[in-house]
Amino acid sequence: MSKGFNSSLDVVNCQRFLRLYTMIIRRSLLERQLTLQSRRYYSSVETVVTLPSGLKYRQPIGLFIANGFDVSTDGKKLTTYDPRSGRPIASVFSAGSADVNNAVQSARLALGPWRTTPGTERGILLHNLSRLIEDHKDILGSIEAFDTGKSADTAMSEDIQECINVTRYYAGWADKIHGYSIQPFTEKFAYTLHEPFGVCALIVPWNYPLMLAIWKLAPAVAAGNTVVLKTSELTPLSSLYLGNLITEAGFPQGVVNILSGDGDTGAALALHCGISKISFTGSAATGRKIMQAAASNLVPVTLELGGKSAAIIFEDADLEQAVKWCYSGIMSNSGQMCSATSRILIQETIYKKFVEMFKSYTIHRMSMGPLDHGPQISDAQLKKVLQYVRLGIEEGANLVYGGEEMDVPGYFMLPTIFSDARDHMKIVQEEVFGPVVVMDSFATSSDAIRRANSSEYGLASAVFTKSITEAVNTAQKLDVGMVWVNSSQDSDFRVPFGGFKMSGFGQELGEYAMKNYWRPKAVHLNLGISL
Amino acid sequence: MSASSSVPLSQKFKLPNGVEYEQPLGLFINGEFVTGKEGKAFEVINPSTGKLAGMVHEATAVDVDLAVDAAETAFYDGPWSKMSSADRGHLLLKLADLFEENLTILASIEAFDNGKAIQLAKGDIGACIGCLRYYGGWADKIHGKVIETSPESFNYTKQEPIGVCGQIIPWNFPLLMWAWKIGPAIACGNTVVLKTAEQTPLGGLYAAKLCKEAGFPPGVINILSGFGRTAGAAIASHMKIHKVAFTGSTPVGRQIMKAAAESNLKKVTLELGGKSPNIVFEDADIDRAVEWINFGIYYNAGQCCCAGSRIYVQETIYDKVIDAFKRRAQANVVGNPFDEATFQGAQVSEAQYNRIMAYVELGKKEGATVEVGGERHGSEGYFIKPTVFSNVTEDMRIMQEEIFGPVCAIAKFKNLEDVIQKGNSTAYGLASAVHTRSLNTAVEVANRLRAGTVWVNCYNSLHWALPFGGYGESGIGRELGKEALRNYTQVKTVNINLS
């Protein structure tokens, strides 16, 4: 080991110790936490990862069950790669069905005490977690960036900041879950209890690994459920790191369990008879399988699936702003966003102008930072996206810009623009999940709405216009779960997020997400009805 | 009152339990501690000894004007006006954390200034923390509605803050009332000018220091020490204050409402007095019921607006309950607030002491029987022995009027109809309780009592998530819970014509 290795580790450990110390002082009233130690940081089930910045940190690689990291029963591991170089980062233990069983059992054991823990206390633990994520923001952002290929700045300021906000937001909901009292008539009094489901299986994708995990975990735990989180095999690292913070925040053993694994792990979890609720984010194809698995035990499901969301540009729109929003609406996160506005419908009077402006803006952005939009997550994803590009050309769409892999290490491709992409084409109908946008013109607003709604998906839409009537009317008529007016992708943790049609059901974020994680129980009191 | 020239803006205090801290003494206006413009100061008396504890600066109408100007500027122009709801909530969460870090100091100040037992004072601060954190969580969860009428129009409502809120709080729970008022007002995005009670200014000033530490922008929270007839009256009649929230006596509540009506029709929330019934049915667990009636009246030395001061016991168990209750009342540890074993500390002031003792004399004159207590405890300070009056009839003043001390009236009742009629017989309607093992009795009594709170098999069991407020002359509006957000928002309807 070099000298540098030791000293940078010492810096990290020292900061960690100081944070822990400060936190224990700060939370001294919560005696439960005083017993917490950071020993999990020094578990044998970990490896040292060197980040691109040169900083080294201890990365847990075990399965996080009952606040501890364990090896998988069969010793199986999976390897995660840096999409910017294609090189392996670390190998982590992958959960088999025996491990899934252990995690579910752990969550079931925790359930009894957890669901009766007062909401205020559940909220305090989530507040603690929010603070810890904030304290570890830099390292979490760096891990996320390394594992997904997105820039560290973006990962910190968007993904991890969102994790902090969402955790704090749902901490506030934990003691604001209200049932109703209902008095139908004098002799009958009734009330409803909003009770947690039990053990929730949370299955999340690789595009926003920690953020989407938190979108599910925070409301689920706030409502009194215990959870088994299964991360994507492409991006397991940040959630494993979160495991340490779960323990440090003071969550009782088994409330949060985190498994790395592939689709088989997900299937074992979805089919497990010990779970009472599934929340899944990912592709529509996998969503269908999840729902079929859920049907075997009749477990309720929340699905956040794909999309082919349309942006509609009316002729009165601020075109410069529309171009910028639409560019980030499809190119940011390398186009790997379920709600990406990947179709742009442009009023015919401004169609040519808009396409030209979009192309110029793309060239400008590429000149500022050719790799800013980030790589695709994997070689397989890159190949799949490029295959769609070839298909688009074959189908007769007009390639305006890009369409090629970039000649750099990693899985980078050029932002890609198609114009004259007709509704029947596969690149207009299917989700590409890459930096590929298709454009076409429309004549009237009813034409635009009809075509925007022609997709089997219904996740989101964006409308660009200065007219309030056009904005409100179009928003009303679009068959989608979210409409952005004069923006795209600027979701907010206070505002629900979710889709119609094959984009899924059940809303995440906002107050609505709480409804995914409690179910009402009606209690009838007979105050004098005699038989 | 005296000249403030000799009174510093802060001073080192050493409390009887050894806690030493720097006590702010100025008025907290626009983020700074300042002296009053008229140069006045007033005495703070330690109710456990009757001796002078210190002097604080006094706010008069001119200081209220300054505080309102600061609050108005903060509301319309400052960083507060542009702050996101989540950031607003985050400041309240930080304030809750600071209360937690300063729990010992804050509880000690309360015990010193109010005379309440330190164990209860700690409970008060715990509830402050819970309340502030709870409303920190509400800040970004206040939703308007979208209301569909016809395809030709689009309509939505917004829950907007009101503006500068005047808040006037009492001396019985100086910091808890502070938190109940500040929490929802701030969560909703208002700015506040809060006047503490002249008997207990110290805790509010220390909390003001914590507001600054938490990072609230100047002018968002202004804390004034002062008297009702000057500073309080100025708040109630101020033309730039658009909401006034008052907790205190019913007569003063009436004046506040009049002043609001005569000035600018500001919105009013009132949390006033009570003469709450505590009802024990023959099927109750008597031991437990006695614990709760004891706690219901003697908690906080009886200085609770919701105190269970009228105790109705079913005639079949009356003698048994009286016996047990007498023993229980005499077992209460009365005395030095800083003794950890103390349950009942001092009454807050000499005036309150005299008022309570006058009611005790009145009760005797009216023909009620003193079962226990009825006299001073100890030789210094304002302590009164837990007092039980029996043989009290409905027409006696000690049965109808709020005494606000450790004095209760017990009477018998025959059956449910009888006790509902008796329970509802005062002009007040703040709280009530019923002790029974019967589901039907519990729910029926809870349904029929005209009171804002009904406790079943417990008493004084407040929680920040549960709305609290009165029927009848006990007040207007509800504090705590989601309900309190209504006190501090106004609805704006936006109707957009689309055709």
Side-chain angles (χ1 to χ4, degrees):
Chain A
M1 274 186 270
S2 73
K3 197 171 173 238
F5 181 102
N6 277 323
S7 57
S8 53
L9 254 185
D10 286 344
V11 168
V12 171
N13 287 337
C14 181
Q15 288 172 344
R16 188 178 288 149
F17 174 77
L18 280 173
R19 283 193 205 104
L20 180 67
Y21 181 75
T22 316
M23 153 131 178
I24 284 174
I25 295 298
R26 191 199 292 162
R27 314 294 308 161
S28 62
L29 287 172
L30 294 170
E31 286 175 13
R32 182 170 2 178
Q33 279 177 255
L34 288 173
T35 62
L36 287 171
Q37 302 297 325
S38 60
R39 68 189 160 84
R40 295 296 179 195
Y41 284 112
Y42 312 110
S43 155
S44 60
V45 193
E46 66 180 16
T47 187
V48 173
V49 167
T50 307
L51 293 166
S53 63
L55 184 75
K56 292 178 168 65
Y57 76 98
R58 293 174 187 272
Q59 170 68 49
I61 58 168
L63 307 170
F64 184 73
I65 298 174
N67 286 6
F69 287 100
D70 295 318
V71 300
S72 54
T73 309
D74 58 7
K76 207 174 126 190
K77 283 188 177 179
L78 59 85
T79 301
T80 180
Y81 296 87
D82 169 15
R84 284 184 178 259
S85 68
R87 286 200 290 269
I89 301 173
S91 292
V92 302
F93 286 98
S94 171
S97 56
D99 305 309
V100 167
N101 194 47
N102 289 342
V104 173
Q105 292 312 326
S106 152
R108 288 200 76 80
L109 276 175
L111 190 61
W114 182 245
R115 66 191 300 166
T116 53
T117 299
T120 301
E121 286 181 32
R122 294 199 303 267
I124 286 171
L125 295 180
L126 282 166
H127 277 306
N128 292 350
L129 182 62
S130 171
R131 282 195 195 97
L132 283 167
I133 297 173
E134 196 161 27
D135 290 346
H136 291 247
K137 186 174 173 182
D138 289 359
I139 184 83
L140 278 168
S142 303
I143 296 170
E144 202 72 318
F146 200 21
D147 212 9
T148 61
K150 61 183 85 186
S151 81
D153 282 353
T154 304
M156 280 175 218
S157 64
E158 295 179 15
D159 294 48
I160 308 304
Q161 185 58 48
E162 170 90 351
C163 292
I164 297 163
N165 293 343
V166 169
T167 308
R168 189 182 293 141
Y169 177 77
Y170 287 106
W173 273 122
D175 59 2
K176 297 175 183 66
I177 301 167
H178 302 154
Y180 298 99
S181 72
I182 306 156
Q183 180 124 29
F185 47 92
T186 311
E187 294 80 19
K188 180 188 272 294
F189 176 73
Y191 57 89
T192 59
L193 298 170
H194 290 180
E195 296 191 342
F197 281 93
V199 178
C200 298
L202 314 177
I203 304 174
V204 296
W206 44 260
N207 55 341
Y208 295 91
L210 192 64
M211 186 181 104
L212 294 183
I214 293 286
W215 279 21
K216 296 185 192 306
L217 187 154
V221 163
N225 300 278
T226 59
V227 306
V228 178
L229 169 71
K230 205 284 287 177
T231 54
S232 163
E233 66 272 29
L234 299 176
T235 53
L237 300 182
S238 53
S239 292
L240 291 176
Y241 192 90
L242 182 78
N244 278 327
L245 307 187
I246 293 282
T247 308
E248 194 173 325
F251 284 95
Q253 290 187 0
V255 171
V256 177
N257 304 275
I258 302 166
L259 303 179
S260 311
D262 58 14
D264 291 342
T265 312
L269 183 58
L271 282 165
H272 200 287
C273 59
I275 61 166
S276 306
K277 162 85 197 187
I278 302 175
S279 180
F280 169 79
T281 298
S283 72
T286 309
R288 202 186 291 276
K289 287 187 199 156
I290 293 281
M291 197 162 162
Q292 281 163 354
S296 64
N297 297 320
L298 286 173
V299 171
V301 182
T302 300
L303 298 175
E304 208 68 77
L305 307 177
K308 191 74 184 179
S309 299
I312 300 172
I313 322 290
F314 287 102
E315 60 189 1
D316 70 331
D318 178 335
L319 288 192
E320 204 170 308
Q321 279 295 310
V323 164
K324 288 179 179 172
W325 281 106
C326 286
Y327 181 87
S328 69
I330 179 62
M331 302 307 176
S332 57
N333 212 45
S334 327
Q336 302 169 143
M337 299 172 282
C338 49
S339 55
T341 37
S342 50
R343 289 188 287 158
I344 307 180
L345 295 165
I346 303 139
Q347 199 148 23
E348 56 194 9
T349 44
I350 54 161
Y351 177 62
K352 280 194 177 138
K353 186 177 176 194
F354 184 91
V355 172
E356 202 44 51
M357 284 174 74
F358 197 96
K359 182 183 173 184
S360 304
Y361 186 69
T362 305
I363 292 167
H364 165 71
R365 290 291 295 259
M366 290 303 284
S367 72
M368 301 292 286
L371 302 180
D372 281 358
H373 61 289
Q376 306 316 116
I377 189 75
S378 67
D379 193 38
Q381 276 296 318
L382 175 65
K383 289 201 168 86
K384 188 184 148 212
V385 177
L386 290 170
Q387 177 60 31
Y388 267 113
V389 172
R390 279 191 291 279
L391 182 66
I393 296 167
E394 281 164 27
E395 286 178 312
N398 177 34
L399 182 65
V400 176
Y401 185 88
E404 290 166 10
E405 194 173 344
M406 293 172 75
D407 188 17
V408 291
Y411 315 127
F412 286 90
M413 66 175 284
L414 290 167
T416 299
I417 307 166
F418 280 107
S419 65
D420 303 340
R422 308 303 180 205
D423 288 355
H424 66 275
M425 294 178 184
K426 280 193 172 168
I427 55 161
V428 177
Q429 290 298 323
E430 295 179 14
E431 183 176 43
V432 175
F433 223 66
V436 178
V437 67
V438 297
M439 301 185 187
D440 201 4
S441 63
F442 69 86
T444 63
S445 65
S446 61
D447 182 31
I449 290 161
R450 181 184 54 73
R451 291 171 63 193
N453 287 342
S454 69
S455 167
E456 63 188 2
Y457 291 111
L459 190 52
S461 267
V463 179
F464 291 86
T465 176
K466 287 183 184 131
S467 155
I468 189 163
T469 304
E470 202 80 83
V472 174
N473 278 336
T474 309
Q476 197 161 28
K477 289 172 186 161
L478 286 167
D479 209 3
V480 295
M482 295 174 278
V483 180
W484 287 289
V485 176
N486 295 326
S487 68
S488 179
Q489 311 304 315
D490 56 338
S491 298
D492 186 286
F493 56 92
R494 289 152 285 206
V495 184
F497 184 106
F500 289 7
K501 299 195 285 188
M502 280 188 54
S503 293
F505 41 79
Q507 311 284 316
E508 303 205 87
L509 300 183
E511 181 175 4
Y512 291 87
M514 291 302 289
K515 295 182 184 176
N516 297 331
Y517 297 106
W518 56 252
R519 51 187 168 185
K521 174 189 281 178
V523 181
H524 298 247
L525 303 185
N526 178 353
L527 300 179
I529 315 167
S530 299
L531 294 177
Chain B
M1 269 171 280
S2 67
S4 72
S5 52
S6 58
V7 179
L9 285 174
S10 82
Q11 193 178 332
K12 202 163 269 313
F13 269 45
K14 183 169 182 185
L15 302 182
N17 60 346
V19 166
E20 282 185 77
Y21 72 104
E22 191 71 21
Q23 171 68 51
L25 301 171
L27 310 173
F28 187 68
I29 297 175
N30 207 24
E32 302 296 337
F33 286 98
V34 296
T35 58
K37 284 288 166 199
E38 289 190 31
K40 290 181 176 172
F42 63 91
E43 294 177 346
V44 181
I45 304 291
N46 174 358
S48 302
T49 60
K51 290 178 185 145
L52 182 68
M55 300 282 292
V56 296
H57 293 271
E58 182 191 339
T60 60
V62 60
D63 304 301
V64 170
D65 284 344
L66 290 173
V68 170
D69 286 347
E72 194 179 63
T73 303
F75 184 76
Y76 289 108
D77 303 322
W80 185 248
S81 63
K82 297 169 200 76
M83 193 177 284
S84 85
S85 58
D87 289 346
R88 231 161 48 212
H90 200 189
L91 287 175
L92 279 172
L93 297 177
K94 283 188 193 162
L95 185 59
D97 289 346
L98 287 169
F99 265 62
E100 204 162 33
E101 285 171 25
N102 288 274
L103 189 146
T104 304
I105 291 176
L106 289 167
S108 304
I109 295 173
E110 292 293 76
F112 180 64
D113 203 10
N114 168 279
K116 66 172 66 191
I118 186 79
Q119 54 158 305
L120 304 190
K122 286 178 186 165
D124 284 8
I125 308 307
C128 291
I129 296 162
C131 176
L132 293 170
R133 196 170 277 146
Y134 177 78
Y135 285 106
W138 270 124
D140 57 7
K141 299 173 182 68
I142 298 166
H143 304 150
K145 293 188 173 77
V146 170
I147 303 162
E148 302 203 25
T149 52
S150 78
E152 288 81 39
S153 75
F154 171 63
N155 320 291
Y156 61 88
T157 62
K158 285 184 75 200
Q159 297 280 127
E160 296 196 338
I162 294 168
V164 180
C165 298
Q167 304 182 316
I168 303 172
I169 61 172
W171 45 260
N172 56 342
F173 295 91
L175 277 169
L176 188 57
M177 295 301 106
W178 188 97
W180 284 19
K181 293 275 185 286
I182 294 284
I186 291 300
C188 293
N190 299 283
T191 58
V192 304
V193 175
L194 181 146
K195 186 192 86 66
T196 53
E198 66 269 25
Q199 295 86 346
T200 54
L202 300 181
L205 293 175
Y206 194 84
K209 181 183 92 97
L210 299 182
C211 290
K212 190 170 179 175
E213 207 174 320
F216 282 98
V220 173
I221 297 173
N222 303 277
I223 307 292
L224 305 179
S225 312
F227 291 81
R229 62 182 178 275
T230 49
I235 287 173
S237 60
H238 206 286
M239 294 304 285
K240 289 179 176 178
I241 291 178
H242 295 288
K243 157 88 195 179
V244 65
F246 169 76
T247 296
S249 72
T250 294
V252 177
R254 214 181 287 276
Q255 288 173 30
I256 297 274
M257 197 162 168
K258 271 188 194 159
E262 282 163 6
S263 56
N264 60 348
L265 287 171
K266 56 175 67 67
K267 284 139 194 71
V268 179
T269 307
L270 301 173
E271 208 67 77
L272 307 177
K275 191 76 183 177
S276 300
N278 197 351
I279 300 167
V280 187
F281 279 89
E282 60 187 4
D283 70 337
D285 178 327
I286 291 177
D287 291 344
R288 286 193 187 170
V290 166
E291 278 299 315
W292 286 114
I293 58 179
N294 181 68
F295 188 73
I297 182 62
Y298 301 123
Y299 171 68
N300 211 44
Q303 301 169 139
C304 298
C305 47
C306 55
S309 49
R310 288 187 291 150
I311 299 161
Y312 293 106
V313 181
Q314 200 154 17
E315 55 190 9
T316 44
I317 55 164
Y318 180 79
D319 292 341
K320 204 172 161 188
V321 168
I322 287 268
D323 262 6
F325 181 41
K326 274 161 64 179
R327 272 183 276 118
R328 184 63 191 81
Q330 285 168 321
N332 288 327
V333 180
V334 183
N336 178 9
F338 285 98
D339 184 339
E340 289 286 342
T342 297
F343 169 69
Q344 185 185 316
Q347 308 310 125
V348 73
S349 66
E350 189 176 5
Q352 281 298 316
Y353 173 88
N354 290 338
R355 187 169 175 272
I356 296 162
M357 291 309 286
Y359 267 112
V360 170
E361 290 312 310
L362 177 68
K364 290 176 189 167
K365 266 188 217 147
E366 285 180 310
T369 309
V370 177
E371 295 282 351
V372 295
E375 58 191 13
R376 182 184 201 117
H377 169 94
S379 55
E380 69 162 9
Y382 314 125
F383 297 90
I384 297 175
K385 288 183 179 168
T387 301
V388 178
F389 274 109
S390 64
N391 294 320
V392 188
T393 55
E394 289 302 301
D395 56 340
M396 290 183 189
R397 283 178 61 197
I398 58 163
M399 190 58 122
Q400 292 296 322
E401 296 176 16
E402 184 175 44
I403 297 171
F404 225 65
V407 180
C408 64
I410 299 202
K412 296 177 191 176
F413 71 92
K414 284 192 176 57
N415 54 31
L416 190 143
E417 290 302 327
D418 181 32
V419 79
I420 294 288
Q421 187 265 323
K422 286 176 166 153
N424 287 336
S425 69
T426 72
Y428 292 114
L430 189 54
S432 58
V434 50
H435 302 269
T436 173
R437 286 194 176 96
S438 157
L439 171 67
N440 284 23
T441 304
V443 179
E444 183 172 358
V445 172
N447 277 343
R448 293 177 63 189
L449 283 173
R450 291 196 292 274
T453 293
V454 183
W455 285 295
V456 177
N457 295 331
C458 58
Y459 208 96
N460 281 337
S461 172
L462 293 155
H463 189 279
W464 47 84
L466 300 175
F468 181 82
Y471 281 33
E473 291 186 15
S474 289
I476 297 172
R478 291 291 175 273
E479 303 203 86
L480 301 183
K482 188 179 183 184
E483 297 298 317
L485 303 176
R486 289 194 202 181
N487 298 338
Y488 292 102
T489 53
Q490 50 193 351
V491 174
K492 176 182 281 175
T493 300
V494 181
N495 170 313
I496 300 173
N497 178 1
L498 298 174
S499 61

